[in-house]
Amino acid sequence: MRIVLVGPPGAGKGTQAAYLAKNLSIPHISTGDLFRANISQGTDLGKQARAYMDAGQLVPDEVTIGMAKDRMAQSDAVNGFLLDGFPRNVGQAEALDVMLKDEGVKLDAVLDLEVPEEEVVKRIAGRRICRSDSAHVFHVTYNPPKTEGVCDACGGELYQRDDDSEETVRTRLEVYHTQTEPIIDYYRAQGLVVTISALGKVTEVTARAMEALKSDEG
Ligand SMILES: [Zn+2]
């Protein structure tokens, strides 16, 4: 299957992408991983991306599109993939259509994770990370540590990342609304969008997504 995963920040997109890709036996292709891989391997695209990032500028679409194209050409992605973070605007979606058309293949579905805006703010702004290990993640409401401000796993201090402040979350949501949401309309016109609620436990959302993709196929 060829799937694009979309959803606002805080929808649990990265987590769901990993589970879904595993369940469907397809590679999970995330923009974050693409950037890290290209930069660490020093590819031409990685060098270009690095130059923009170092200058504090947004990486142009051509660079991101080039990285996605290279990745999708790798052997494990020939029969399918799950894209996470790409495309992030209509221009990138159009470029993806051209790429797929050139290969004579099509997307099977665009899975849209839906979360009410206030829930997104609550989810992200409540996140607390351990200073000793960023993999130790808690939430003041959904996954509180036994002692406030202290990591259960290692006793490290818990803090809120600047990126997770309510103000930053609202700005990120605004960017999502103006730049990324239009791709949902773009794909809806192609009859590809499958919307599911991203509320509930991680396993419940995965099950819901698998069910929706199955019935969409049939
Ligand atoms: Zn810790």
Side-chain angles (χ1 to χ4, degrees):
M1 280 191 108
R2 292 177 182 84
I3 303 168
V4 170
L5 189 62
V6 291
K13 208 152 52 78
T15 308
Q16 287 305 326
Y19 282 113
L20 290 170
K22 194 163 175 253
N23 281 348
L24 296 164
S25 303
I26 50 178
H28 167 203
I29 301 179
S30 87
T31 330
D33 289 344
L34 284 181
F35 274 77
R36 275 188 288 277
N38 277 276
I39 289 171
S40 71
Q41 289 159 21
T43 65
D44 282 346
L45 290 167
K47 284 176 193 159
Q48 288 177 45
R50 189 65 190 263
Y52 286 102
M53 288 155 82
D54 285 348
Q57 291 172 349
L58 282 178
V59 176
D61 282 350
E62 309 88 85
V63 176
T64 310
I65 291 164
M67 289 181 187
K69 191 174 182 177
D70 286 351
R71 180 63 189 85
M72 282 189 280
Q74 287 172 24
S75 58
D76 65 335
V78 169
N79 292 316
F81 47 74
L82 188 147
L83 294 174
D84 162 19
F86 177 85
R88 59 168 297 157
N89 57 43
V90 172
Q92 292 186 1
E94 287 168 349
L96 175 62
D97 275 351
V98 172
M99 272 183 234
L100 295 174
K101 206 175 166 199
D102 285 348
E103 296 299 319
V105 296
K106 280 183 178 158
L107 286 178
D108 294 291
V110 173
L111 186 65
D112 170 29
L113 298 180
E114 202 171 52
V115 195
E117 184 142 338
E118 286 318 304
E119 176 67 19
V120 167
V121 174
K122 205 171 152 189
R123 280 187 184 189
I124 300 181
R127 215 185 262 163
R128 296 294 179 272
I129 321 277
C130 174
R131 282 205 195 275
S132 309
D133 185 339
S134 60
H136 300 160
V137 180
F138 297 84
H139 191 284
V140 294
T141 310
Y142 304 120
N143 180 26
K146 289 197 186 76
T147 308
E148 197 187 318
V150 180
C151 175
D152 286 355
C154 73
E157 186 199 348
L158 300 179
Y159 75 107
Q160 183 187 44
R161 294 188 313 174
D162 290 344
D163 267 6
D164 293 346
S165 74
E166 180 169 343
E167 198 192 341
T168 312
V169 175
R170 297 216 182 261
T171 308
R172 285 162 67 193
L173 278 168
E174 195 51 45
V175 171
Y176 179 76
H177 287 316
T178 55
Q179 292 183 16
T180 306
E181 255 178 12
I183 73 173
I184 298 173
D185 293 328
Y186 174 85
Y187 285 128
R188 194 169 279 131
Q190 299 183 20
L192 288 172
V193 178
V194 179
T195 302
I196 63 155
S197 163
L199 295 179
K201 291 196 183 107
V202 169
T203 49
E204 290 167 358
V205 178
T206 309
R208 206 177 286 149
M210 289 299 290
E211 197 53 44
L213 290 171
K214 218 187 299 168
S215 46
D216 181 60
E217 208 177 18

